[in-house]
Each structure stands twice: as structure tokens, then as C-alpha cells.
């Protein structure tokens, strides 16, 4: 097949629209995943079983069901008995909710990795439970897990094309729509290169961050 630069030029407006949707879904989905994952992790450690058990059940259910099924449920089922959402909002919530169950496990591992002596020191100082968490435990735990959280950002980027099935056309969705009309392959190539240009530098940055935190 011959490479046709005119096809690429025609695709570029749609491509940049797709890039914008991809970055929005990635940024907002990551914020939801990071914040909600911390809530899940702390709730699972609650001494109150009526809190920890339901939260554990919910996170296990979400983590063990496909993201694609969850997106369909949020977009087509939830509006039948609740508010309807745009495809992009649904995609952001779906990505964030799905990956929050994975970041919860990362936070849990970080919290478990805090030395027992830190808990004992906080108890000896009679620090309130909230102060113990915010000033002693969480700063140490989060510092340990930042590289692992970053890996899930890259994973979320690679899963972002799934939101196209509900009408949120990110980069790959735009390429598919364009190629179906023009019967060309250039759009897929451009999108593949774009994913590499976003994901590979991010991976290098995460490795550098991990080495720096290990010092």
C-alpha cells in the first residue's frame, strides 16, 4: 500500500478532536481513580464490618467484571432509573470507577508497608485517629505507591479506546470512523504512533520517578 499524505491531512482535524477527548478522559478518569481508590482502601480497613465488607464486595465485583460491560451499563441502563450522561462523562466515570478498584489495592499495599513502629509512635503521642492518618500514615504510604499509580495511568490510556463504543470518539474511535468512510489505513497508523508518543515518555518518566523515590 502507498502512503497518502493527503489522507493524513484530511484526518488531522478529527485526530485532534480525538486527542482532546482522550486526554480529558485520561486526566479526569485518573483523578477519580486516585481519589476514589483511597476512599475504598481506607473503608476496607475500617473496624466496622458493615462498612468494610460491603466495600470489599463492591470493589471485587467491579474489578472482576469487564470495563466494556460497565460502560454499557452506565450509558444504557443507569439512565432508565437515574440521570442520563453524555458519552464523555460516562466514559470518564467508567474509567475512573473501574481503575479505582485497582488503585485501592495499590494504596492498601502502601498502607500495609508503613512500619508498625509508625502506628505505635502515633499511639504513644496520643494523636487522634484522623491526625494519625493524615500526618503520619498516608504521607508515607502514598510516597511509596506513586510509581505504581502512574502505571495505571498508562493502562488507562491504553483502555481509553473502549469509550468509543458509547459514542465518545477518542483517537482510535475517530480513526475507525474516518477509515470506514475513506477505506484507508493511514489514520490507524497516525493513532498508533500517537499512543506510543504519549505512553512511552510517560513510562520513562515513571521509571525515573521510581528511581528518585527509592533514593
Amino acid at each position: 500500500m502507498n502512503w497518502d499524505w493527503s489522507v493524513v491531512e484530511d484526518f488531522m482535524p478529527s485526530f485532534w478532536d480525538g486527542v482532546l477527548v482522550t486526554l480529558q478522559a485520561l486526566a479526569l478518569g485518573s483523578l477519580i481513580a486516585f481519589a476514589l481508590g483511597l476512599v475504598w482502601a481506607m473503608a476496607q480497613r475500617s473496624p466496622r464490618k458493615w462498612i468494610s465488607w460491603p466495600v470489599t464486595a463492591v470493589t471485587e465485583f467491579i474489578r472482576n467484571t469487564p470495563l466494556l460491560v460497565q460502560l454499557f451499563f452506565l450509558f444504557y441502563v443507569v439512565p432508565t432509573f437515574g440521570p442520563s450522561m453524555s458519552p464523555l462523562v460516562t466514559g470518564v466515570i467508567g474509567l475512573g470507577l473501574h481503575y479505582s478498584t485497582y488503585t485501592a489495592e495499590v494504596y492498601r499495599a502502601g498502607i500495609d508497608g508503613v512500619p508498625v513502629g509508625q502506628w505505635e509512635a502515633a499511639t504513644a503521642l496520643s494523636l487522634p485517629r484522623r491526625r494519625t492518618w493524615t500526618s503520619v500514615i498516608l504521607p508515607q504510604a502514598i510516597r511509596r505507591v506513586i510509581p505504581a499509580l502512574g502505571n495505571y495511568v498508562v493502562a488507562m490510556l491504553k483502555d481509553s479506546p473502549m469509550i468509543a463504543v458509547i459514542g465518545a470518539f477518542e483517537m482510535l474511535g475517530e480513526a475507525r470512523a474516518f477509515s470506514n468512510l475513506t477505506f484507508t489505513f493511514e489514520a490507524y497508523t497516525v493513532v498508533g504512533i500517537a499512543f506510543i508518543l504519549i505512553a512511552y515518555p510517560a513510562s520513562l518518566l515513571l521509571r525515573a520517578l521510581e528511581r528518585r523515590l527509592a533514593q
Side-chain angles (χ1 to χ4, degrees):
M1 294 184 181
N2 295 322
W3 183 267
D4 190 343
W5 284 105
S6 64
V7 172
V8 176
E9 292 177 359
D10 292 339
F11 173 61
M12 291 314 291
S14 299
F15 169 72
W16 290 117
D17 290 340
V19 169
L20 180 60
V21 172
T22 298
L23 295 180
Q24 287 178 321
L26 180 64
L28 297 176
S30 297
L31 290 176
I32 293 174
F34 293 161
L36 188 56
L38 183 58
V39 173
W40 294 140
M42 296 184 67
Q44 287 175 333
R45 295 181 63 90
S46 173
R48 300 178 178 87
K49 300 301 182 183
W50 60 272
I51 294 178
S52 61
W53 287 5
V55 167
T56 299
V58 169
T59 55
E60 287 295 326
F61 176 79
I62 295 173
R63 186 164 54 247
N64 289 286
T65 53
L67 173 59
L68 191 60
V69 173
Q70 295 167 16
L71 289 172
F72 275 117
F73 181 84
L74 289 172
F75 192 68
Y76 293 108
V77 178
V78 170
T80 62
F81 54 85
S84 61
M85 298 176 289
S86 69
L88 179 57
V89 171
T90 304
V92 167
I93 293 175
L95 286 171
L97 183 62
H98 184 79
Y99 275 93
S100 70
T101 62
Y102 292 97
T103 59
E105 289 300 302
V106 173
Y107 285 125
R108 182 190 60 77
I111 293 170
D112 290 343
V114 175
V116 176
Q118 299 294 311
W119 295 91
E120 295 174 345
T123 302
L125 293 171
S126 300
L127 292 180
R129 184 174 179 82
R130 179 177 298 180
R131 180 79 180 278
T132 298
W133 277 104
T134 58
S135 300
V136 179
I137 304 303
L138 288 181
Q140 297 181 63
I142 292 176
R143 181 176 180 271
R144 294 168 180 266
V145 303
I146 286 178
L149 293 176
N151 288 332
Y152 281 113
V153 174
V154 176
M156 192 182 302
L157 170 66
K158 292 188 288 186
D159 274 349
S160 63
M162 289 192 184
I163 67 175
V165 300
I166 57 173
F169 287 95
E170 39 60 67
M171 291 190 293
L172 187 58
E174 292 287 0
R176 185 184 300 112
F178 182 85
S179 296
N180 288 341
L181 292 174
T182 60
F183 303 101
T184 56
F185 69 94
E186 285 85 354
Y188 286 115
T189 305
V190 171
V191 169
I193 294 172
F195 271 107
I196 294 173
L197 292 178
I198 297 173
Y200 186 64
S203 299
L204 295 179
L205 180 62
L206 290 172
R207 292 176 191 172
L209 180 61
E210 186 172 4
R211 288 194 296 268
R212 183 176 181 83
L213 293 176
Q215 294 176 355

